[in-house]
Amino acid sequence: MMRTLLLGGLAVAACALVTLAPASRAEEPAAQSAAEKPAAAAKKPAAEKATKTKKAAPPAQNPAVAGEPGLLPFTPTEVTAAPPGAIDITSDETMEWHNDQLAAVARGHVVVVRGEDTLHCDTLVVYYRKAQDGSTEMYRMAADGQVVMTSPSQQAYGDHAVYDVDQDVTVMTGDHLHLVTRSDTVYARDTLEYWKQQQLLVARGNAVAINDKGDRIRADVLVGIMEQNAAKQLEMTRMDAKGNVLIVTPKDIARGSDGTYNVKTRIAILTGDVKLTQGQNQVNGHRAEVNNATGVSRMLPDETVKGGRVHSVLVPKRSDQPAAPAGSTKPPGGGAQP
């Protein structure tokens, strides 16, 4: 592997990075246009004929400096010791600097390391913009192809990832999009977002969360609230669900418009047109409590409506035998009186 040491300004700018966060293929986030995707092609070996050699295409025009002349984004001086918080980037193929577009590109099994966090991808593009004092600053990183983000407590998988420095947010997209923690696995069809400052994980599009106890919750959008445990590692403490919420237990199926799942107590509260179904029996209401620890589900009346009531529809067990004729004291076909 050809290791490439990051130049001085790139390492300094990378200090702004935070912990890397953690189905059909979804569209890229709105902040990332399709034109920003770097080309995946790279130069072929020099041993091939020059007529057959294809040069890797440069990254798309940096939107932050569109129409401006090329600016040198960093000073080409050798780094002997990276400052605290800097990132280290290595790649199997090349590291390129595109001065006109204020972008740096690493190609070929790129590995990005910052502290205990690691990013693997096929191609990485770092975008810069001109600051008010005339210097340049990094404002976005885009990873493409077989993206894997790991930290001591979680791993996230996707095809693409974008880190927005200003918002301190990482957004992942792609097929088979999912995040794995010590006790939970979260799947999403559209995007997985990690909001560093708020310590939130947002899964969008037919999102499903499954814990190590078998509890499962599905919704259009799942928001995981994460907190630091005694070992100073992030863990999921609560999951908020929005839109077409579904909770499946060994005995019941619970549906609602919104829901909240407490990871520690394993109790889910569903609200808004709630339906509890057990076999052919169904109970309708506004609010329900599903206790996955005890296996008990309860329908509760609407607290906002005076005199609100719970409505249930129960279907008795059907009999395959015809009804007894009038005046008969025995069931059809003989047998003991029930």
Side-chain angles (χ1 to χ4, degrees), residues 210-226:
I210 307 172
N211 67 11
D212 54 2
K213 299 178 179 63
D215 300 343
R216 179 188 299 258
I217 182 170
R218 189 182 73 189
D220 294 339
V221 179
L222 290 176
V223 180
I225 290 83
M226 309 183 78

Side-chain angles (χ1 to χ4, degrees), residues 16-321:
L17 277 178
V18 299
T19 302
L20 295 173
S24 60
R25 179 168 178 170
E27 297 180 355
E28 297 293 332
Q32 180 190 23
S33 66
E36 288 179 324
K37 294 182 181 179
K43 287 186 177 180
K44 291 184 178 180
E48 295 185 12
K49 294 181 180 181
T51 56
K52 296 184 179 180
T53 300
K54 295 183 179 179
K55 187 177 181 180
Q61 176 67 37
N62 189 332
V65 293
E68 293 186 7
L71 299 174
L72 188 63
F74 35 72
T75 304
T77 57
E78 184 176 357
V79 176
T80 56
I87 60 174
D88 179 75
I89 302 177
T90 60
S91 65
D92 284 350
E93 298 177 10
T94 62
M95 176 76 75
E96 308 164 4
W97 287 268
H98 298 263
N99 297 334
D100 290 344
Q101 300 174 15
L102 289 181
V105 184
R107 304 181 189 275
H109 186 210
V110 182
V111 180
V112 183
V113 179
R114 180 179 182 267
E116 296 182 311
D117 303 298
T118 305
L119 164 69
H120 295 262
C121 62
D122 293 337
T123 306
L124 179 75
V125 181
V126 181
Y127 290 99
Y128 294 83
R129 64 189 173 198
K130 187 176 180 181
Q132 294 182 352
D133 60 1
S135 63
T136 55
E137 59 184 8
M138 183 189 69
Y139 73 98
R140 175 180 295 168
M141 291 183 65
D144 187 73
Q146 304 183 75
V147 178
V148 180
M149 293 181 173
T150 64
S151 70
S153 59
Q154 59 193 26
Q155 301 85 41
Y157 303 84
D159 294 325
H160 317 279
V162 175
Y163 173 66
D164 187 304
V165 176
D166 297 331
Q167 298 188 65
D168 209 355
V169 176
T170 300
V171 179
M172 295 187 71
T173 59
D175 296 333
H176 311 296
L177 191 63
H178 64 287
L179 170 79
V180 180
T181 71
R182 296 181 186 276
S183 59
D184 304 276
T185 302
V186 181
Y187 299 89
R189 182 191 62 209
D190 298 338
T191 62
L192 273 178
E193 307 167 8
Y194 179 63
W195 297 71
K196 174 67 166 55
Q197 297 301 321
Q198 295 85 353
Q199 292 187 350
L200 297 178
L201 172 70
V202 183
R204 301 183 187 274
N206 196 28
V208 180
I210 307 172
N211 67 11
D212 54 2
K213 299 178 179 63
D215 300 343
R216 179 188 299 258
I217 182 170
R218 189 182 73 189
D220 294 339
V221 179
L222 290 176
V223 180
I225 290 83
M226 309 183 78
E227 295 180 2
Q228 207 172 58
N229 58 22
K232 296 184 178 181
Q233 294 178 340
L234 289 177
E235 63 179 7
M236 204 88 67
T237 59
R238 195 180 84 216
M239 186 76 69
D240 292 341
K242 181 70 174 178
N244 297 306
V245 181
L246 174 67
I247 297 178
V248 179
T249 72
K251 295 183 178 180
D252 305 306
I253 297 176
R255 295 178 174 86
S257 301
D258 302 285
T260 298
Y261 173 75
N262 188 307
V263 175
K264 294 183 178 180
T265 64
R266 299 178 62 195
I267 295 176
I269 302 296
L270 274 68
T271 58
D273 191 23
V274 179
K275 295 179 176 63
L276 287 178
T277 304
Q278 186 179 88
Q280 292 182 319
N281 300 324
Q282 181 171 294
V283 181
N284 300 333
H286 180 77
R287 184 169 177 266
E289 177 186 278
V290 179
N291 192 323
N292 289 280
T294 63
V296 176
S297 299
R298 300 190 305 157
M299 183 66 72
L300 307 172
D302 188 352
E303 297 178 338
T304 63
V305 178
K306 185 177 181 179
R309 299 172 65 84
V310 176
H311 175 240
S312 64
V313 177
L314 305 179
V315 179
K317 184 177 180 180
R318 294 180 178 180
S319 173
D320 294 331
Q321 297 181 353

Side-chain angles (χ1 to χ4, degrees), residues 5-21:
L5 185 61
L6 201 62
L7 296 184
L10 180 59
V12 174
C15 294
L17 277 178
V18 299
T19 302
L20 295 173

